[in-house]
Structures are given as structure tokens and as C-alpha cells.
Amino acid sequence: MRCRLKDWIEKIENAQDLEEIEKIRIELFGKKGYFTQEFERLKTLPKEQKPIVAKELNSAKNALFEALQRKKDELLAKEIQRKLESEKIDVSLYSPHGYKGSLHPVQYTMDKIIEYFISLNYAIETGPLVEEDFYNFEALNLPKHHPARDMQDTFYFKDGKLLRTHTSPVQIRTMQHHKPPIRMISPGAVFRRDFDLTHTPMFHQVEGLVVDEAGKVSFANLKFILQDFLKYMFGDVEVRFRPSFFPFTEPSAEVDISCIFCEGEGCRVCSHTGWLEVLGCGMVDPNVFKAVGYENVSGYAFGLGVERFAMLLHRIGDLRSLFEGDLRLLEQFR
Ligand code: PHE
């Protein structure tokens, strides 16, 4: 037995990997292994030899078990070390598959618009998306039966509140809380019951409002600012003002830029007119000032759709694609 023990220990010490260790373990301690056989043989020995051999066998068993365990730990540690070295990640290596995020085109456009007005010292104002009739319609001189209030256009709540249909209610809220002079823009989401190639139920607007003592703010000022702003946004375009109507401005105008796709020649995007409509604006209607208790003031206001600007800036044909989160579209704006 003594010789056998030395042989086993040597065999264990020479094992090269965990697989070999496992084989030795089975050879020693398995069902048909060395110790099972030895203990079986014990039964055949004369009575007085039994305890001596049993003791010997047990201590050999313990010694081998320990040796096996020690070798196993040693090989395991080596194996981990080998893995750590071979699977080391070099974080400084260039990866051709890295995905870099980017601003959504609507956010990019919004930022660009805001940047312009901040540079002219306009304040940024915000208001609630769930709005009261008074702010969204009444105070903006939208009479009770104006078609814009129609269920067709407006999302109403049971309690009479509604999702704001434009950013103009922020004009009213700002004038209620500030004395003139006022110079503000209000960017944010608005909601209308509309869904097609050029309309989504939620979109973004930027509202502008400037109010000062009567006579200090004129249509000429409005015209200058918007011309300058549109050239900042779209480059060297022509800008024209067309008479229009909004309940909250008088006089009112819609603003066009010369088509950036065909440079005024006429194409599908501008419906062969050579012009693209981009803004609504006008001098604030006296009834709006009355609703907030302002006297002896004049002012101008304007409103624009951010998605429309983004579509023109990035030449996107379908407005809905801006809201689908398709990476193939978004990846182009990195
Ligand atoms: N609120 C108008 C709209 O949503 C835009 C606008 C704002 C027009 C301010 C004139 C003045 O269409």
C-alpha cells in the first residue's frame, strides 16, 4: 500500500489539466475505483489484520483526497489566469461597429431655432400641455363657435380641459404674469386630431411674442426679425409676406420662403408655386391685450411648426417618419 500511495501522489502531481484530475478522481473514488475495490478486499482479510489495513486505507484515502483537491485548485487558478490573459480586452482598439448616437432632427431644428432667439435676448417661456379653454381659445379672441374649437381638431377631456392645439396660450400666461416689455419665445408640443403625410397628432411649435409701449413695436420690426431669422435657418432665401387671418393677430400674415428645392423654379414640393409656407404671424389683436388687462401697448406674434422646418432642412418627405424611431433614418443625422 505504501508504494501505491506514492505512485498515486506522483500521478496527481503530474496531471496537466482538470480533465486529467477528474479521471484520477474517478479511478480513486469512483464506484469501481481503487478504494471501493480495496475496501471490498478488506472483508476477505483475517480478522486481526482488518483494523490495521482499514486504518492505513483511510489515511491514504484522506491524503489522496487532499492532494487531489490541492492540485485541482492549482490547475483551476492557472486556467483562470490563462483565460484572463487570452480574453483580455484592449479598450483602446478601434471598433468599426461602434454606434454613436445623435440628436433627433426635430431636436436639432428646435435647438437651432432657440439659438437664434436667445442671441437676441428673447426669454424662453413654457406652459402646460393640458390647457384650459380660456388660454387656448377664449383669451386669444377665438369666438365660441370658431371652427378651430371643433371636436374634429381638438382633443377634449371630459372636464372641458383640452390638449393645447398651439403654443399661443403661453402668450396669455406670460402676459398675465409679466408687465411689458415682453420678448419671448415658447417652444413645445401641441396636439391636433390629424394624421397623414404632413400631419401627426402631436407636433412641436415655437411661438414668439414681443410687446412694448404703444408705437414701439411695428410690423416693420416683425418683418425684419422674421426675414433675418429665416435666412439664418435656410440660407440665402427670398422671404415674402402674404396677407392672412388669425383671430389673435390683426393684421395677420403668412410667410413664405422661396422653394429651397427648386430655388423658385417650381417643383413637386412647392406645388409648382416656387414658394414654401413656413410661418404665421401678425400684430397682436387689441382683444388679446384686453383679455390680459394690457393698455397702451403694441406687439407682434408669430408661430411656426418645428417638424415642418426639420423636414425642409433635412429634405424629409414623410412627416410620420420623424416619429417612427427607425435607426436607418436617424443614423443619417449623425
Ligand atoms: N397659433 C397659430 C397656429 O397654430 C400660429 C400663429 C401664432 C399665428 C402667432 C400668428 C401669431 O397656427
Side-chain angles (χ1 to χ4, degrees), residues 129 164-167 188-192 200-205:
L129 305 185
R164 69 181 186 187
T165 57
H166 50 181
T167 40
V190 300
F191 306 85
R192 289 182 199 173
T200 45
M202 189 282 299
F203 61 103
H204 297 84
Q205 286 190 333

Side-chain angles (χ1 to χ4, degrees), residues 5-16 20-21 23-24 27 68 71:
L5 178 61
K6 217 182 109 220
D7 289 349
W8 280 115
I9 296 259
E10 207 174 286
K11 201 172 175 181
I12 291 170
E13 280 311 315
N14 289 335
Q16 291 301 306
E20 219 174 304
I21 285 290
K23 247 168 104 195
I24 299 172
E27 274 177 52
L68 204 66
K71 189 68 188 177

Side-chain angles (χ1 to χ4, degrees), residues 110-164:
M110 185 84 107
D111 288 351
K112 190 167 165 151
I113 295 168
I114 291 173
E115 205 170 87
Y116 175 84
F117 288 102
I118 282 191
S119 78
L120 295 181
N121 235 353
Y122 281 60
I124 312 266
E125 301 287 348
T126 53
L129 305 185
V130 176
E131 195 46 286
E132 286 163 36
D133 181 282
F134 175 78
Y135 292 103
N136 198 79
F137 294 131
E138 192 77 39
L140 287 164
N141 196 33
L142 269 125
K144 275 271 178 308
H145 299 291
H146 193 280
R149 292 187 173 212
D150 202 308
M151 294 287 283
Q152 296 294 324
D153 303 310
T154 309
F155 290 105
Y156 283 99
F157 293 99
K158 282 206 185 86
D159 61 3
K161 288 200 174 136
L162 48 88
L163 289 176
R164 69 181 186 187

Side-chain angles (χ1 to χ4, degrees), residues 165-166 168 171 192 205 207 246 248-249 280-282 301-303:
T165 57
H166 50 181
S168 302
Q171 286 186 28
R192 289 182 199 173
Q205 286 190 333
E207 187 83 9
F246 297 103
F248 30 91
T249 46
C281 67
F302 56 87

Side-chain angles (χ1 to χ4, degrees), residues 172-187:
I172 305 299
R173 289 181 176 274
T174 306
M175 287 192 280
Q176 277 185 340
H177 292 107
H178 295 279
K179 289 197 168 73
I182 282 174
R183 182 187 286 259
M184 61 141 250
I185 56 166
S186 176

